[in-house]
Amino acid sequence: MFRKKNKNKIPPHLIPESVSNEQTRMIRTNLDQVLQEGPALVMVTSPDEMEQKPTISSNLAVAFAEQGKKVLLVDVNTAKPSLHRLFTISNTTGLTNVILNEEPLLMNCKETSTPGLFVLPVGALSISAAELWVTSKLKKIATSCREEFDLVIFEVPALLTVSDPLVLANQCDGIILVVEGNKTKKEAALKAKEYLNRTNNHIMGVIYQTG
């Protein structure tokens, strides 16, 4: 069963206008190709912290749900959770309940007003966040995600801030890297790309946010 349904979509003014439609189409085309093979897990990250990255992840999730896909958007940023605020849902339960307490995935997903779109917030974190980044636990939730959803988008911390997301990246079918014009340094972007290539993670596309 799902948690109580939320009546609000992402507020339109929060969707970053600086992300071009062409970039969005490119990412969606690449994702469509993966989805032809079956359920897909995708991680959205950036070299450095970006304020607009969660709304970019949310926008992609909404776009695929509106195409008729069953989509789950997961907040994995334990230090700075944000998806619960964007969708105005409770953060008292979520990912931590699924991984740490081994509760059913669907019991902790929150339904949104966009048909087919669900959000799994971080949830309450009472112990070290390091307990979440255990390969065996991440494999288990990845399996559950593939069984229940067509597309799962993980909103994770910046790669150069913490290395933990690389553990989750190994469970995903592809990575979407978000960079910010005039803020993301070329060296940081190249270093993030090097990290992903070193672990044989497929970069599905790059979203370049201007301004």
Side-chain angles (χ1 to χ4, degrees), residues 64-82:
F64 275 91
E66 290 179 342
Q67 289 182 0
K69 302 295 184 183
K70 187 179 180 184
V71 182
L72 177 63
L73 181 60
V74 184
D75 196 338
V76 197
N77 195 334
T78 56
K80 297 180 180 180
S82 59

Side-chain angles (χ1 to χ4, degrees), residues 87-126:
F87 288 90
T88 60
I89 58 178
S90 170
N91 192 41
T92 55
T93 62
L95 180 67
T96 53
N97 297 79
V98 179
I99 293 183
L100 302 179
N101 300 338
E102 299 187 352
E103 294 181 9
L105 174 67
L106 295 184
M107 188 176 75
N108 289 281
C109 295
K110 278 76 171 179
E111 189 175 2
T112 72
S113 62
T114 300
L117 176 60
F118 303 84
V119 175
L120 182 65
V122 168
L125 189 65
S126 58

Side-chain angles (χ1 to χ4, degrees), residues 10-125:
I10 308 170
H13 67 278
L14 290 181
I15 302 301
E17 296 179 355
S18 52
V19 176
S20 73
N21 290 332
E22 183 60 34
Q23 293 178 69
T24 303
R25 281 195 295 269
M26 177 191 70
I27 298 296
R28 287 169 64 174
T29 297
N30 291 342
L31 275 173
D32 280 333
Q33 293 175 352
V34 176
L35 288 169
Q36 290 178 6
E37 304 297 325
L41 273 57
V42 177
M43 192 176 86
V44 179
T45 187
S46 57
D48 303 304
E49 287 293 342
M50 279 184 58
E51 182 179 351
Q52 292 287 3
K53 182 167 63 65
T55 59
I56 292 172
S57 301
S58 301
N59 197 19
L60 284 171
V62 169
F64 275 91
E66 290 179 342
Q67 289 182 0
K69 302 295 184 183
K70 187 179 180 184
V71 182
L72 177 63
L73 181 60
V74 184
D75 196 338
V76 197
N77 195 334
T78 56
K80 297 180 180 180
S82 59
L83 294 183
H84 65 287
R85 289 191 294 271
L86 284 177
F87 288 90
T88 60
I89 58 178
S90 170
N91 192 41
T92 55
T93 62
L95 180 67
T96 53
N97 297 79
V98 179
I99 293 183
L100 302 179
N101 300 338
E102 299 187 352
E103 294 181 9
L105 174 67
L106 295 184
M107 188 176 75
N108 289 281
C109 295
K110 278 76 171 179
E111 189 175 2
T112 72
S113 62
T114 300
L117 176 60
F118 303 84
V119 175
L120 182 65
V122 168
L125 189 65

Side-chain angles (χ1 to χ4, degrees), residues 16 18-19 23 45-53 56 177-186 189 206-211:
S18 52
V19 176
Q23 293 178 69
T45 187
S46 57
D48 303 304
E49 287 293 342
M50 279 184 58
E51 182 179 351
Q52 292 287 3
K53 182 167 63 65
I56 292 172
L177 191 64
V178 183
V179 297
E180 190 170 9
N182 301 322
K183 289 188 178 182
T184 302
K185 294 181 179 180
K186 180 180 178 180
V206 177
I207 291 179
Y208 184 82
Q209 181 191 354
T210 60

Side-chain angles (χ1 to χ4, degrees), residues 159 166 169-170 175 177 189-204:
L159 282 178
L166 290 174
N170 292 330
I175 313 297
L177 191 64
L190 291 174
K191 190 172 184 179
K193 183 175 181 293
E194 178 186 346
Y195 282 172
L196 294 171
N197 288 338
R198 189 185 306 164
T199 53
N200 295 319
N201 293 124
H202 172 57
I203 300 178
M204 191 170 290

